């Protein structure tokens, strides 16, 4: 399709990277010290990058280009938004990686007790960890705020079979109730032998 899209003049580009930071769609990246349009379908044609360029290297053109693909942009953003920190007490209440997330609330020990935790349980999920026995806080307050202020798609709670891990499950369930949202959820329990029950 013929549409309005940005064009970057490599000769004029000084490699400052301001345009890449200004591009909310991550359509611009730095390649070999120069700004480059990485994918046509990531460029919405609105030009947030134009006013940030100190050398005037970016202009609009009309040319054959793939249509803007908002779904692809959002999927790419989720992939790029690295989550840190993961400890419940330290994580921010509102962060871009929570929107549309499948949330995993995990007792600390589960990742070490279950050998395939990263591949089978954690993969594709935003992870929050904590230990209700060692951390002298009520996780439900922070978890409630996270659920209230973000568009979390689902919640998986993983705990050990030992009684002290009941605290993390209770906190998560309490938070879901207090949030006032209907969020699909499940609980997984890991045995002390390292198997999901």
């Amino acid at each position: 399709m013929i549409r309005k899209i940005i064009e970057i003049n490599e000769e004029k580009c000084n490699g400052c990277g301001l345009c890449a930071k200004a591009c909310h769609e991550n359509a611009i990246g730095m390649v070999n010290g120069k700004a480059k349009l990485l994918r046509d379908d990531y460029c919405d044609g609105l030009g947030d990058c134009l006013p940030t360029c100190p050398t005037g290297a970016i202009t609009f053109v009309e040319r054959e280009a793939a249509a803007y693909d908002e779904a692809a942009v959002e999927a790419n953003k989720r992939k790029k938004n690295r989550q840190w920190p993961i400890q419940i007490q330290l994580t921010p209440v509102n962060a871009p990686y929570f929107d549309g997330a499948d949330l995993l609330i995990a007792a600390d020990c589960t990742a070490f007790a279950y050998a395939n935790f990263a591949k089978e349980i954690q993969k594709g999920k935003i992870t929050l960890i904590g230990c209700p026995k060692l951390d002298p806080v009520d996780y439900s307050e922070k978890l409630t705020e996270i659920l209230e202020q973000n568009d979390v798609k689902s919640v998986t709670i993983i705990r050990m079979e030992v009684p002290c891990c009941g605290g993390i499950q209770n906190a998560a369930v309490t938070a879901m109730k207090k949030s006032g949202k209907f969020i699909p959820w499940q609980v997984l329990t890991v045995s002390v032998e390292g198997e999901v029950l």
Side-chain angles (χ1 to χ4, degrees):
M1 76 185 295
I2 303 289
R3 70 178 186 98
K4 187 168 85 169
I5 194 163
I6 65 153
E7 183 174 77
I8 303 170
N9 182 328
E10 195 172 305
E11 298 286 319
K12 289 184 177 180
C13 178
N14 67 3
C16 69
L18 293 173
C19 59
K21 289 179 185 166
C23 181
H24 302 292
E25 290 74 30
N26 297 315
I28 301 174
M30 301 305 293
V31 179
N32 297 325
K34 298 285 185 173
K36 180 176 175 140
L37 178 60
L38 300 175
R39 287 181 51 161
D40 288 357
D41 62 340
Y42 284 6
C43 180
D44 62 7
L46 296 177
D48 288 341
C49 54
L50 269 72
T52 65
C53 182
T55 64
I58 304 172
T59 56
F60 276 122
V61 295
E62 283 198 19
R63 67 168 172 84
E64 182 72 31
Y68 173 64
D69 186 345
E70 187 175 2
V73 168
E74 290 305 315
N76 185 51
K77 281 183 186 179
R78 281 193 295 277
K79 187 171 72 176
K80 286 189 173 221
N81 280 332
R82 304 253 333 151
Q83 177 203 353
W84 186 257
I86 64 171
Q87 219 295 331
I88 295 170
Q89 292 185 83
L90 301 177
T91 195
V93 169
N94 195 314
Y97 47 75
F98 284 130
D99 283 328
D102 292 307
L103 187 62
L104 175 64
I105 301 170
D108 290 352
C109 296
T110 57
F112 300 98
Y114 186 63
N116 288 326
F117 179 87
K119 287 182 182 176
E120 294 178 14
I121 309 294
Q122 186 181 26
K123 188 175 182 178
K125 294 181 177 72
I126 295 300
T127 305
L128 297 177
I129 63 166
C131 178
K133 185 171 185 176
L134 299 178
D135 295 336
V137 296
D138 178 6
Y139 292 134
S140 67
E141 293 174 24
K142 179 81 167 269
L143 293 173
T144 299
E145 288 183 74
I146 289 169
L147 295 175
E148 284 175 340
Q149 296 184 32
N150 300 281
D151 183 26
V152 173
K153 191 167 59 174
S154 70
V155 174
T156 299
I157 304 156
I158 185 164
R159 55 166 288 185
M160 296 298 296
E161 68 177 329
V162 295
C164 58
C165 267
I168 201 143
Q169 180 178 341
N170 292 339
V173 171
T174 299
M176 285 185 284
K177 288 177 183 175
K178 284 185 176 178
S179 76
K181 295 181 178 178
F182 176 76
I183 302 170
W185 63 283
Q186 66 173 331
V187 177
L188 303 174
T189 304
V190 177
S191 71
V192 292
E193 289 81 24
E195 298 171 353
V196 175
L197 301 175

